Amino acid sequence: HTLRPVGMTLQPPPQLQNCIEPTRVADSKVGFGKELKADSLQKKSHRGAWQKRHFVLDTRELTYYKGHKARVFQLDDFQDALAGKPNSGEFFIVFSSKDRQSIAFPEKRLHLRVINGGAEAAREWADAMAAARRQRDLERAAGMAKPPAAPTAPAALAPPPIAPPPLAPPPMAGLPPPPPPPGVGCAPPPPPMPPKPPKPPP
């Protein structure tokens, strides 16, 4: 998980709005989900100290703010939400780790504690995380179940051109050419001679 500027998140916490001008950066890899839950919680550091952080849960990720930066955990990596000590308001959120260098620690745990509300408020956060992950899985399954688009019919092909009639074979050598058909290639016949008049008697 990496740190990213507040401008890359959905909504900055109220305490940072006066010192930072929020901007939304257009990036196909960054999704801005609908906010589901937001509150200030205490996060236990690896040294055992409780640190106040502002958490925002939306339909895609869980984000907590530290100063002018935010740390983001994708809902796709969410695994479980576990209860802490009884009546302490503590709970754990477990994510799978994508860090190749931490093979010995395949998961990332956030040890959190609500500031107000005790165990009931902690259970509300755990239930909200689980419900958001279930909704995320349903959306992904619905997207995979969509039927593929029908293929576009190819354009109709034009009919092939009509072939010209075959040529007559050439005349064989040594033979006279065939006579032309009547009325083709010759002069018209002369008109018939009128009959001779009869000779007068002597």
Side-chain angles (χ1 to χ4, degrees):
H1 306 283
T2 58
L3 294 178
R4 72 182 186 186
V6 173
M8 299 291 288
T9 58
L10 177 61
Q11 294 183 357
Q15 63 268 27
L16 298 181
Q17 292 182 356
N18 295 330
C19 58
I20 295 179
E21 181 179 357
T23 57
R24 295 188 65 173
V25 180
D27 189 345
S28 59
K29 297 181 180 179
V30 178
F32 299 96
K34 179 182 178 181
E35 183 178 308
L36 303 176
K37 192 173 181 63
D39 200 359
S40 294
L41 304 174
Q42 290 181 329
K43 173 184 171 293
K44 195 171 187 178
S45 68
H46 64 281
R47 296 181 179 179
W50 289 101
Q51 303 167 336
K52 187 177 180 180
R53 300 286 185 262
H54 187 78
F55 283 76
V56 176
L57 171 65
D58 61 38
T59 54
R60 293 180 180 270
E61 58 200 19
L62 175 69
T63 306
Y64 75 82
Y65 296 87
K66 178 182 179 181
H68 292 181
K69 294 185 179 181
R71 192 161 189 180
V72 180
F73 297 86
Q74 300 295 328
L75 278 180
D76 293 339
D77 300 330
F78 172 77
Q79 291 185 336
D80 202 357
L82 309 174
K85 298 178 182 180
N87 301 322
S88 65
E90 299 178 16
F91 62 103
F92 297 88
I93 299 179
V94 184
F95 294 90
S96 60
S97 177
K98 294 182 179 180
D99 188 359
R100 298 180 180 179
Q101 298 179 356
S102 59
I103 301 178
F105 303 96
E107 64 183 22
K108 173 66 177 179
R109 289 195 177 198
L110 295 178
H111 189 176
L112 306 176
R113 182 172 65 186
V114 297
I115 298 177
N116 298 311
E120 182 65 23
R123 184 162 49 250
E124 290 178 0
W125 267 100
D127 293 344
M129 288 292 304
R133 174 57 194 265
R134 288 194 298 269
Q135 182 64 29
R136 180 72 173 157
D137 292 341
L138 290 175
E139 292 176 357
R140 186 185 298 106
M144 296 177 61
K146 290 182 179 179
T152 305
L157 299 178
I162 301 175
L167 300 177
M172 296 183 64
L175 295 179
V184 178
C186 59
M193 296 292 292
K196 293 181 178 182
K199 293 179 177 183

